Amino acid sequence: MRKSILQPLFLSMFVLLQAGWAGGQSIQSTAPSSSTASSSGAPTEQQEMRDELRALRAEVERLRAEVEQQKGTAPNPERVEALPPVRTGPGPNVPAVTAENLAGPTAAAPSTAPPTPALKGWLAQTPSADSGTPKKEKIDPFSDWDWTWLNGNPRTKEAAFDSKFFTPEIRADITYTYDFNKPVDNTISGSSEIFRSNEIQLEQLGLGGDFHFDNVRARFMTQFGMYSETTPRNDASPAKGQWDLDTAYRYLAEAYGGYHINALNGINVDAGIFLSYIGLFSYYNFDNWAYQPSYVSSNTPWFFNGLRVQIFPNPHLKIEPWFINGWQSYGSANSRKGLGGQIKWTPRPWVNVISNNYGLGHDDLYVPNRGRIHTDDSIEIKYYDKPEKTLDKMAFSFTGDMGCEFGPSTTTSAGVYLQGVSCLGDKKDPKSVGGDYFKAGINPKQSFIGYMLYNRMWFKKDRYGLTLGGGQINNPGRYLVLDPPINGETAESAAINAPYFTGNPSDPFKAWDSSVTFDYMPRQYITFRWEYDYRHASVPYWSGRGGVTPPGSGGVPYTNNGYPQFYACTDGNSSMSLTLSGAQTACGAQGSTVWFPDLRRDEQFIDMAIMVKF
């Protein structure tokens, strides 16, 4: 830059000197000669001018060589910083663009060169008002803070594999449970997480992942293992109509597709089978603080089948409405669908607030006039976080649930009487015929109330974890109590009749539980878990020593007879009777007696599990 400016400067001086010398010669040639002295002195003056011209040429060459030598030398920072800034607009201060500050320190010599012309076009545009404040980029919802400490949330911090199109996910859950009641048929009752005693079992093998490309999204996850049998058996809706829905869906834990809309902080529209958030705990035990959750989680939905819309107004708030077939159901038990939704709010990195609500659905098979409402609300707080300490983190979660069923007493066109129920109890209804725990003319209370509280501690940089927790429920009418698998009982058969553990309006059920869980987590992808649980019910409910499986037909021990809706006989045959008196008569005619399962009010077990997630 210095060379480009100095060369014109000195070349212009050289041209001016040449013009002056030529003008001097012209004047001499035209002036009259006045004397001999003047005529004899002319050659001397011309020689002097030639010498001066040679000296100027030498100086120009010297300066040219100096410029070439200094080419590429960095400018002096002090000189550049000393240049006065000029406000060019509402943006930051920008130094004036001149020949001097472009040339650098060596251009400090005075110059008669004309000033550099002003910049034109886009170069002369002043910064806009917005250029001074960079635009804040949107972030993915709930991605700016670490949420791996949450109960019900996976603790993996990054995917083991990933691509632009697909993020795979692999889960494996293997468990061994020892029930101190020692059931002879190895069957555990009243749980949606553990099912067999004194055996090693594969609870779930999940293969799947997330597809994501050009705003289109999809996810699927399998459920091979015990979950493929135990989850569908709690849904009565496949008994209505054809096509065997529980068989069609039993190997899928999640399967949905949808679209992402670039509005607000994101909007997702998904349809298919997706996990339920009711009860806080995740369907996948790897994500949870405990293996066997309390009743408000274990007895509430694990999945929905329908449509959801996830709306993220900002990175810390989600509003998610649902339009679904029903309460944990592949199909609809009756004609009315269910509506619900979730609000999730994380105002700080140490607090998570969730509210799930459900309503309007008619979810009792063969009872079309009975509605259901439910609210499930949780808060999780991390109240201690010191990563440098041995005890590095502590947090607790609290969940409270309330719900009820309601509907009048009616008689169907086929002459079947349906008892009415109410949320608050003792509601007058002239059509009510009464029952075991309420009088005629009254619709009894059919409600659910419960809570659970868990406290977790992490040690040695989250390598170890210790959780203490438990909860309680009160569920008159038992509409959310899991049916014990007596003689192969399922939700479908219990909707017809459950002879041993009834679910009639006003049937009492209260229960509480507690647990201690220890985790060893050497890597983020694996958890070794040991857990002790104690559970108590107000009525006989848990599997006892004699088990819940009758002797099969022909005397084969511990084999279902295929008729769980009827009382069984001790010879293995079915009485084919819905009532106890009828069963006593039928079994007596066979030279037998009525068989009864061994149900207990208390249960203790130890569970050991290995859980993997990639």
Side-chain angles (χ1 to χ4, degrees):
M1 185 66 68
R2 296 188 186 96
K3 178 181 178 182
S4 61
I5 294 175
L6 289 173
Q7 281 182 341
L9 177 64
F10 290 111
L11 289 176
S12 61
M13 294 174 61
F14 177 70
V15 170
L16 289 174
L17 288 173
Q18 281 185 322
W21 177 59
Q25 284 185 322
S26 174
I27 293 172
Q28 281 186 342
S29 62
T30 56
S33 180
S34 56
S35 64
T36 306
S38 61
S39 127
S40 61
T44 303
E45 293 178 358
Q46 292 180 4
Q47 185 63 37
E48 290 177 355
M49 292 183 69
R50 290 190 185 98
D51 294 340
E52 290 177 2
L53 183 56
R54 292 190 188 98
L56 283 174
R57 286 177 177 171
E59 181 66 17
V60 169
E61 291 300 325
R62 186 187 68 78
L63 290 174
R64 189 194 305 274
E66 184 179 345
V67 169
E68 290 292 338
Q69 183 179 1
Q70 292 182 356
K71 182 179 179 181
T73 304
N76 187 344
E78 296 181 359
R79 171 59 184 263
V80 174
E81 292 176 0
L83 296 174
V86 176
R87 175 68 67 180
T88 59
N93 288 331
V94 180
V97 181
T98 64
E100 182 179 12
N101 61 21
L102 285 174
T106 58
S111 172
T112 59
T116 303
L119 297 174
K120 296 181 180 181
W122 63 271
L123 291 173
Q125 294 177 1
T126 58
S128 64
D130 295 336
S131 64
T133 305
K135 186 177 180 180
K136 186 176 181 180
E137 294 185 3
K138 291 183 179 180
I139 62 173
D140 292 335
F142 311 114
S143 65
D144 53 342
W145 295 325
D146 180 11
W147 296 112
T148 56
W149 61 272
L150 287 178
N151 191 6
N153 204 51
R155 60 183 179 82
T156 47
K157 296 182 182 295
E158 63 269 337
F161 315 98
D162 200 2
S163 70
K164 181 180 179 181
F165 174 71
F166 179 63
T167 304
E169 186 173 323
I170 302 171
R171 292 178 178 265
D173 182 353
I174 302 94
T175 183
Y176 170 83
T177 303
Y178 181 80
D179 190 334
F180 287 92
N181 287 342
K182 302 178 182 179
V184 293
D185 60 352
N186 302 91
T187 303
I188 295 176
S189 301
S191 175
S192 56
E193 292 75 28
I194 57 173
F195 314 102
R196 302 281 295 185
S197 173
N198 198 26
E199 294 176 350
I200 298 173
Q201 293 291 341
L202 173 66
E203 296 294 285
Q204 186 225 4
L205 175 62
L207 305 173
D210 295 274
F211 297 87
H212 38 76
F213 187 76
D214 196 24
N215 284 41
V216 179
R217 46 191 262 124
R219 175 176 171 83
F220 79 97
M221 181 61 62
T222 65
Q223 56 177 21
F224 299 113
M226 293 298 295
Y227 275 7
S228 64
E229 171 64 24
T230 57
T231 297
R233 61 87 59 182
N234 291 324
D235 177 18
S237 68
K240 178 188 176 185
Q242 304 299 320
W243 307 123
D244 204 7
L245 294 178
D246 54 353
T247 300
Y249 288 119
R250 71 171 59 251
Y251 299 110
L252 290 172
E254 301 175 75
Y256 62 81
Y259 188 72
H260 176 78
I261 302 172
N262 297 322
L264 301 176
N265 240 80
I267 299 175
N268 298 326
V269 181
D270 302 318
I273 299 176
F274 48 89
L275 296 185
S276 160
Y277 312 107
I278 294 178
L280 184 64
F281 275 65
S282 169
Y283 184 55
Y284 308 121
N285 292 317
F286 177 92
D287 304 344
N288 301 326
W289 292 356
Y291 201 89
Q292 172 62 61
S294 191
Y295 309 100
V296 297
S297 180
S298 187
N299 293 33
T300 52
W302 291 117
F303 71 89
F304 292 132
N305 194 359
L307 173 71
R308 72 179 182 186
V309 180
Q310 298 179 319
I311 305 168
F312 302 93
N314 60 61
H316 304 126
L317 177 64
K318 180 181 72 171
I319 301 171
E320 180 179 316
W322 314 320
F323 179 74
I324 52 183
N325 288 338
W327 179 274
Q328 185 165 307
S329 60
Y330 296 121
S332 295
N334 296 286
S335 59
R336 182 179 291 183
K337 303 295 184 287
L339 293 177
Q342 182 193 72
I343 297 175
K344 176 182 172 69
W345 183 44
T346 57
R348 296 290 185 271
W350 46 267
V351 62
N352 180 39
V353 180
I354 297 176
S355 179
N356 300 297
N357 296 276
Y358 175 84
L360 295 182
H362 286 180
D363 299 296
D364 293 309
L365 188 64
Y366 310 128
V367 187
N369 62 334
R370 187 177 293 173
R372 180 180 298 178
I373 56 176
H374 195 94
T375 183
D376 166 83
D377 305 286
S378 300
I379 184 169
E380 300 182 80
I381 293 179
K382 180 174 63 174
Y383 59 90
Y384 178 89
D385 193 0
K386 295 183 181 293
E388 72 281 2
K389 301 290 186 180
T390 300
L391 173 60
D392 58 82
K393 194 180 293 144
M394 290 189 285
F396 76 85
S397 70
F398 177 82
T399 301
D401 281 44
M402 295 179 63
C404 68
E405 291 192 324
F406 55 92
S409 299
T410 59
T411 301
T412 67
S413 58
V416 178
Y417 172 74
L418 302 175
Q419 176 61 52
V421 294
S422 64
C423 289
L424 302 178
D426 297 333
K427 182 177 181 179
K428 294 182 179 180
D429 188 340
K431 295 182 179 180
S432 174
V433 300
D436 294 338
Y437 302 97
F438 62 98
K439 61 183 180 180
I442 295 294
N443 287 338
K445 186 176 184 178
Q446 185 117 321
S447 64
F448 181 94
I449 185 170
Y451 72 89
M452 62 181 180
L453 174 65
Y454 288 87
N455 188 81
R456 183 166 175 87
M457 295 167 280
W458 290 262
F459 303 88
K460 291 284 187 179
K461 300 186 183 300
D462 300 344
R463 182 176 292 268
Y464 305 97
L466 179 64
T467 303
L468 307 175
Q472 273 185 293
I473 62 165
N474 183 8
N475 187 203
R478 302 178 182 174
Y479 68 95
L480 290 186
V481 178
L482 299 172
D483 296 306
I486 302 169
N487 192 20
E489 188 85 84
T490 66
E492 293 182 18
S493 62
I496 300 172
N497 187 59
Y500 297 108
F501 187 81
T502 60
N504 299 319
S506 80
D507 282 355
F509 187 86
K510 297 179 180 179
W512 64 272
D513 66 347
S514 61
S515 64
V516 179
T517 308
F518 177 76
D519 290 340
Y520 173 54
M521 302 164 285
R523 297 290 185 272
Q524 63 174 313
Y525 305 110
I526 189 169
T527 298
F528 297 89
R529 176 165 291 173
W530 295 264
E531 182 171 294
Y532 168 80
D533 290 81
Y534 175 81
R535 304 197 285 177
H536 173 81
S538 60
V539 296
Y541 180 62
W542 318 107
S543 297
R545 173 63 177 158
V548 295
T549 307
S553 179
V556 179
Y558 320 124
T559 304
N560 299 329
N561 60 30
Y563 298 98
Q565 69 272 34
F566 302 126
Y567 284 93
C569 302
T570 54
D571 61 1
N573 295 320
S574 175
S575 70
M576 304 303 288
S577 176
L578 298 173
T579 65
L580 179 58
S581 59
Q584 290 171 335
T585 301
C587 292
Q590 302 173 24
S592 180
T593 59
V594 178
W595 172 84
F596 288 92
D598 183 6
L599 299 179
R600 308 288 179 89
R601 295 175 185 263
D602 299 279
E603 180 181 55
Q604 301 179 71
F605 60 82
I606 294 175
D607 180 78
M608 293 169 277
I610 298 175
M611 298 170 289
V612 172
K613 175 189 177 292
F614 289 108

